[in-house]
Amino acid sequence: MRETALVYLDRSGGLQKFVHDCKRYNDSKQSHAVYRFVISINPSDIAELDATLGNCILHSPMQAARIFQSVCFIAIKTLSLIEQLQTEAQVSVLLKPTHLPPLPSYVLSLSAFPFNYTSQRFYMSEGIVIAMGTVTKYTQGARFLCTEETCPFSEGFRYIRVHLPGATESATVRNDFVCSLCSSPLQEDMKFRVLGDKQIVEMIDAKVLNTLKGYSNDKSHFRIQAFTVFLR
């Protein structure tokens, strides 16, 4: 699947954009804890190349992101695109699908029962924004070091934590992480913290428009409830 991912990046122009992003990081001459890449993908095109990878992207996007992460890391090291990069954990890949299959199972509807949204995969959702919060910062990635000076992991980029979709802030940055080698506490290297923007949006299902217009849906009781969306 890694070979297919590389072929797709080459054919879709994503590889050229990736090389350009690497050049921007390399020209900065600044060592980062996390190098973040946003890769646009067309699930249908990938499925034609490799059905297994296409299915992985649609239903296990985090696993698919790790495949692209491995491909990107190998490309960076092979072509010497970023001199400062040391470990694969420093490469953060965000897969951005251009579209999803026009099937009901890919539509997130909070007005339909039962709620069988247990898988962490891509969904489409349409609604009306009724409130927006201010733009605030969140931690995209952080570097931790072992506090035991004699430990090999007291330097380098062995412990990199990257924010994953659906995770809370404490999953990325906490003060109770320990070294897997010597069990000593880990301490964050604050100068390598990578910040991003986030915004909280309150949305409501688009079907509320029919209710506001006075249309009857032959139901004696109904309730309209907003849901929260985190934009990162």
Side-chain angles (χ1 to χ4, degrees), residues 1-229:
M1 288 193 288
R2 287 187 296 183
E3 182 178 351
T4 303
L6 181 59
V7 170
Y8 174 77
L9 288 176
D10 185 32
R11 294 182 180 179
S12 64
L15 188 59
Q16 183 178 359
K17 178 182 180 299
F18 171 73
V19 172
H20 179 269
D21 291 341
C22 289
K23 186 177 185 301
R24 178 171 52 85
Y25 277 124
N26 197 51
D27 291 345
S28 68
K29 301 302 179 182
Q30 179 182 354
S31 183
H32 295 261
V34 177
Y35 297 88
R36 191 169 185 262
F37 301 95
V38 179
I39 299 179
S40 296
I41 54 174
N42 186 325
S44 298
D45 290 346
I46 294 180
E48 291 182 1
L49 290 174
D50 188 324
T52 303
L53 180 58
N55 185 70
C56 181
I57 290 173
L58 290 173
H59 300 96
S60 302
M62 291 187 181
Q63 178 184 349
R66 288 193 291 269
I67 295 173
F68 279 84
Q69 176 192 27
S70 178
V71 170
C72 292
F73 175 72
I74 294 173
I76 291 173
K77 301 303 288 185
T78 302
L79 303 176
S80 300
L81 298 176
I82 302 178
E83 297 177 1
Q84 304 92 335
L85 181 71
Q86 296 186 22
T87 65
E88 184 175 322
Q90 292 179 262
V91 179
S92 175
V93 171
L94 176 65
L95 298 181
K96 185 178 180 181
T98 56
H99 70 281
L100 294 177
L103 299 172
S105 59
Y106 293 97
V107 177
L108 176 64
S109 176
L110 297 182
S111 64
F113 287 91
F115 296 151
N116 188 25
Y117 303 117
T118 56
S119 63
Q120 294 182 333
R121 65 178 179 88
F122 292 117
Y123 291 98
M124 294 180 291
S125 180
E126 292 184 353
I128 304 168
V129 176
I130 60 175
M132 298 175 64
T134 58
V135 177
T136 58
K137 295 293 183 182
Y138 79 101
T139 303
Q140 284 184 350
R143 173 198 189 193
F144 286 81
L145 297 173
C146 181
T147 54
E148 175 56 54
E149 296 182 356
T150 59
C151 179
F153 297 153
S154 62
E155 56 185 17
F157 292 85
R158 173 63 175 80
Y159 295 113
I160 299 295
R161 300 197 65 83
V162 179
H163 177 271
L164 296 177
T168 60
E169 291 289 313
S170 61
T172 308
V173 179
R174 280 204 315 266
N175 57 8
D176 60 348
F177 296 127
V178 296
C179 178
S180 60
L181 184 63
C182 67
S183 299
S184 298
L186 297 181
Q187 184 175 11
E188 183 187 356
D189 188 353
M190 293 297 297
K191 64 179 179 290
F192 281 94
R193 177 179 287 195
V194 181
L195 299 178
D197 294 332
K198 75 173 180 180
Q199 188 174 23
I200 298 178
V201 175
E202 288 288 324
M203 295 183 63
I204 199 164
D205 196 289
K207 293 180 181 178
V208 71
L209 288 179
N210 293 334
T211 304
L212 295 176
K213 290 177 181 178
Y215 294 159
S216 174
N217 55 4
D218 297 327
K219 293 181 180 179
S220 57
H221 301 285
F222 61 89
R223 185 180 70 165
I224 301 171
Q225 181 173 329
F227 56 94
T228 303
V229 178

